[in-house]
C-alpha cells in the first residue's frame, strides 16, 4: 500500500496568503476531490469554518481535514493527473472575517478568564454570529457592557499576535492545557494570551476591529455570550440601527424612545384585550338570550341551537357557554369553509359533549374531542358538516 503524501499547510505560517501554486498529488470522486502537496485553504477544524475560493478556476465548496492530507472538494470535476501544477486563490473576504472572529474569541476568552474568573468551556463560530460558553453563571447581563468596553480597549492596544512551535511536554503558560503530544502550534497575543491553536489569526489585535457583545444567556450551568467582530460587528450594528429606525417610524418617534413607547403600547394592549373580552362576554349574553328564546324545545325538554361561525369556532365558545348556562341545552357551532365544529352541552341536559362529538366526527372522517361540557374538532371535508349535525340531532 502506497504511503499517503501529506499536505503542507501554508496558512499555518502565512494567514494572509491569497494566491499559491501547488502540485496535485491525487484525485478522487471523478476529479471532484483534489489533494495537493501544499495548500493555503483552511479546512473546517477547531470550530473554525473552512475557506472558500478557487482551484484552477473551479469553485471550492468544502475543505476537509483528513489528518495528514487536506481534501479540496470542488463544484465541478477537475481533469488533472497527479503531478500537474495548479493555482489556488483563497476568498480573502471570508478568510479575514474568520481571522477576526477567531482572534477576537482568543482575546475575549483571555479577558473572561483573567479578569472575571470565567474560563472558556466551548466555542462556536457561526455564519452570522459566534458564541463563547464560559464556566458558571457568575456573569450578569449588566456586566456585558463593561466586558465589551474592556475587550475593545484591549484590542485597540494593538498587541502583536504571533505563531510559534513548541514541544507539548515543555510548553508553559498556556491558557488551556493541550491534550496533544509532540509539536504544538501556539498562538500568542502579546501580554494577554497563549493558546495551542491551528486556526488563522490577524497579525495584531487592532485588526480584529470592533468587538460587539450582543447578549448573554444561561445554558447547562454555564454562561453563553454571543459576539461578533470586525466587519461583521459593523454590519450587525448597522442592521440593528435600521431595524430600530423602521420600528420607530410608524410611531413618529426617535429610536431611543422605543423602549418606553413599546412598554406603553403593551400596557394599552393589555387593557384593550381585557375590555374586548368583557364586551365579548356581554355581547354573547345578549345573543344567547335571543337564540334561547327562538330555539324550539324537543320532546326531552332540551333546546338545540345551531350557530354558523364567521371565524374560528373557538371564538364562539363564550356564546355557547352563555347558552348552556340558561338551562337544558346543546349548542353546535360550525364553520362552513374550514370544517370546524364545536359542541357544548349543559350539565342538566344529561349529554356529554366530548364523547358525542368524537363519535360523530369519526363517523364522517373527522377528529376531535373535549370535556363533557365543551368539545371541538373538524371534518376533513366541509360538506360532511350536515351529516355531522344530523348525527348529533340537529
Amino acid at each position: 500500500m502506497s504511503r499517503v503524501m501529506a499536505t503542507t499547510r501554508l496558512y499555518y505560517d502565512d494567514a494572509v496568503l491569497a494566491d499559491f501554486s501547488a502540485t496535485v498529488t491525487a484525485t478522487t470522486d471523478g476529479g471532484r476531490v483534489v489533494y495537493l502537496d501544499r495548500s493555503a485553504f483552511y479546512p473546517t477544524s477547531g470550530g473554525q469554518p473552512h475557506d472558500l475560493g478557487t482551484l484552477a478556476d473551479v469553485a471550492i465548496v468544502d475543505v476537509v481535514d483528513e489528518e495528514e492530507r487536506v481534501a479540496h472538494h470542488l463544484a465541478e470535476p477537475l481533469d488533472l493527473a497527479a503531478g500537474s501544477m495548479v493555482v489556488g486563490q483563497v476568498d480573502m473576504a471570508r478568510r479575514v472575517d474568520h481571522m477576526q472572529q477567531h482572534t477576537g474569541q482568543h482575546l475575549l476568552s483571555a479577558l473572561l478568564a483573567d479578569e472575571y474568573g470565567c474560563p472558556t468551556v466551548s466555542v462556536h463560530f457561526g455564519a452570522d454570529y459566534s458564541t463563547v460558553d464560559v464556566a458558571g453563571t457568575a456573569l450578569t447581563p449588566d456586566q456585558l457592557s463593561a466586558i465589551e468596553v474592556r475587550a475593545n480597549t484591549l484590542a485597540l492596544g494593538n498587541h502583536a499576535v504571533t505563531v510559534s512551535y513548541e514541544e507539548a511536554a515543555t510548553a508553559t503558560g498556556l491558557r488551556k492545557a493541550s491534550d496533544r503530544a509532540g509539536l504544538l502550534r501556539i498562538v500568542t497575543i502579546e501580554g494577554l494570551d497563549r493558546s495551542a491553536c491551528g486556526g488563522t489569526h490577524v497579525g495584531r489585535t487592532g485588526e480584529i476591529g470592533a468587538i460587539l457583545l450582543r447578549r448573554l444567556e444561561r445554558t447547562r450551568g454555564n454562561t453563553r455570550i454571543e459576539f461578533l467582530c470586525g466587519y461583521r460587528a459593523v454590519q450587525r450594528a448597522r442592521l440593528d440601527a435600521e431595524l430600530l429606525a423602521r420600528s420607530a417610524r410608524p410611531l413618529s418617534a426617535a429610536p431611543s424612545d422605543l423602549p418606553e413607547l413599546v412598554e406603553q403600547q403593551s400596557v394599552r394592549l393589555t387593557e384593550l384585550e381585557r375590555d374586548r373580552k368583557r364586551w365579548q362576554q356581554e355581547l354573547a349574553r345578549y345573543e344567547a338570550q335571543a337564540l334561547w328564546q327562538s330555539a324550539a324545545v324537543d320532546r326531552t325538554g332540551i333546546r338545540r341551537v345551531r350557530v354558523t361561525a364567521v371565524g374560528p369556532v373557538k371564538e364562539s365558545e363564550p356564546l355557547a357557554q352563555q347558552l348552556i348556562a340558561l338551562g337544558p341545552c346543546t349548542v353546535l357551532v360550525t364553520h362552513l369553509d374550514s370544517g370546524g365544529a364545536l359542541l357544548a352541552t349543559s350539565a342538566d341536559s344529561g349529554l356529554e359533549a366530548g364523547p358525542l362529538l368524537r363519535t360523530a366526527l369519526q363517523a364522517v372522517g373527522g377528529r376531535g374531542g373535549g370535556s363533557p361540557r365543551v368539545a371541538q374538532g373538524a371534518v376533513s371535508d366541509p360538506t360532511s358538516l350536515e351529516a355531522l349535525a344530523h348525527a348529533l340531532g340537529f
Side-chain angles (χ1 to χ4, degrees):
M1 183 177 179
S2 61
R3 181 179 178 276
V4 170
M5 184 176 292
T7 305
T8 299
R9 303 174 188 237
L10 301 175
Y11 57 82
Y12 271 168
D13 299 307
D14 190 352
V16 295
L17 179 62
D19 305 302
F20 69 99
S21 60
T23 301
V24 175
T25 59
T27 63
T28 61
D29 193 20
R32 289 183 180 273
V33 179
V34 177
Y35 297 91
L36 307 173
D37 65 334
R38 62 187 205 144
S39 177
F41 290 104
Y42 185 84
T44 300
S45 179
Q48 181 177 325
H50 62 81
D51 283 329
L52 292 178
T54 60
L55 189 63
D57 294 326
V58 177
I60 287 180
V61 296
D62 197 5
V63 187
V64 179
D65 191 335
E66 296 184 358
E67 297 185 356
E68 290 189 358
R69 298 194 299 178
V70 174
H72 306 78
H73 293 248
L74 307 181
E76 301 174 7
L78 193 59
D79 186 18
L80 290 175
S84 301
M85 184 73 71
V86 291
V87 173
Q89 293 182 310
V90 179
D91 179 344
M92 288 307 293
R94 179 180 170 91
R95 165 66 69 79
V96 169
D97 173 61
H98 292 166
M99 290 163 61
Q100 290 179 320
Q101 310 314 311
H102 204 154
T103 314
Q105 177 265 309
H106 277 230
L107 185 149
L108 186 58
S109 289
L111 164 63
L112 291 168
D114 296 343
E115 299 189 18
Y116 289 86
C118 299
T120 293
V121 175
S122 63
V123 176
H124 170 72
F125 296 104
D128 299 317
Y129 61 87
S130 301
T131 59
V132 55
D133 288 9
V134 297
T137 57
L139 295 177
T140 67
D142 291 339
Q143 290 178 296
L144 204 61
S145 178
I147 296 170
E148 182 180 77
V149 170
R150 180 62 176 149
N152 280 280
T153 299
L154 290 173
L156 287 171
N158 211 25
H159 302 265
V161 182
T162 57
V163 173
S164 61
Y165 298 88
E166 301 177 27
E167 286 294 331
T170 57
T172 59
L174 298 179
R175 173 158 45 86
K176 181 180 179 181
S178 175
D179 56 3
R180 292 175 177 265
L183 198 64
L184 294 181
R185 180 176 184 266
I186 296 176
V187 176
T188 300
I189 302 179
E190 181 185 20
L192 297 177
D193 186 51
R194 269 170 57 85
S195 294
C197 180
T200 57
H201 298 272
V202 298
R204 304 191 73 89
T205 58
E207 297 171 40
I208 296 171
I211 300 174
L212 176 64
L213 308 184
R214 297 196 72 226
R215 64 191 182 98
L216 173 153
E217 65 175 325
R218 308 295 181 214
T219 172
R220 299 174 185 172
N222 296 317
T223 301
R224 175 169 296 166
I225 297 175
E226 179 184 311
F227 72 94
L228 303 94
C229 299
Y231 298 122
R232 196 184 296 194
V234 174
Q235 291 168 350
R236 182 70 250 185
R238 166 54 52 197
L239 178 58
D240 287 347
E242 290 174 354
L243 291 173
L244 284 171
R246 285 172 54 190
S247 300
R249 198 173 299 126
L251 300 173
S252 300
S256 59
D257 295 331
L258 273 180
E260 183 178 353
L261 285 173
V262 169
E263 185 175 351
Q264 291 174 356
Q265 293 284 349
S266 179
V267 170
R268 180 58 178 154
L269 183 61
T270 300
E271 292 173 348
L272 289 172
E273 180 62 15
R274 186 168 55 245
D275 289 344
R276 185 190 71 82
K277 288 182 177 179
R278 185 175 69 251
W279 288 112
Q280 187 180 43
Q281 290 288 346
E282 190 69 12
L283 177 61
R285 187 169 68 84
Y286 282 106
E287 288 182 340
Q289 289 286 351
L291 289 170
W292 177 268
Q293 294 298 331
S294 62
V297 181
D298 67 15
R299 58 186 179 80
T300 64
I302 298 175
R303 296 174 191 256
R304 297 181 183 272
V305 180
R306 177 86 181 268
V307 177
T308 300
V310 294
V313 293
K314 180 68 175 177
E315 293 181 358
S316 297
E317 185 174 344
L319 173 61
Q321 292 281 11
Q322 290 286 346
L323 279 163
I324 63 175
L326 294 174
C329 179
T330 179
V331 183
L332 176 63
V333 181
T334 56
H335 189 273
L336 300 180
D337 293 330
S338 68
L342 181 145
L343 182 68
T345 57
S346 62
D348 53 6
S349 68
L351 303 173
E352 293 193 349
L356 282 172
L357 183 61
R358 187 182 304 111
T359 301
L361 283 169
Q362 288 174 349
V364 294
R367 298 179 61 184
S371 70
R373 301 284 67 82
V374 180
Q376 185 179 333
V379 295
S380 56
D381 180 1
T383 61
S384 302
L385 286 174
E386 288 307 312
L388 175 72
H390 181 74
L392 291 170
F394 288 86

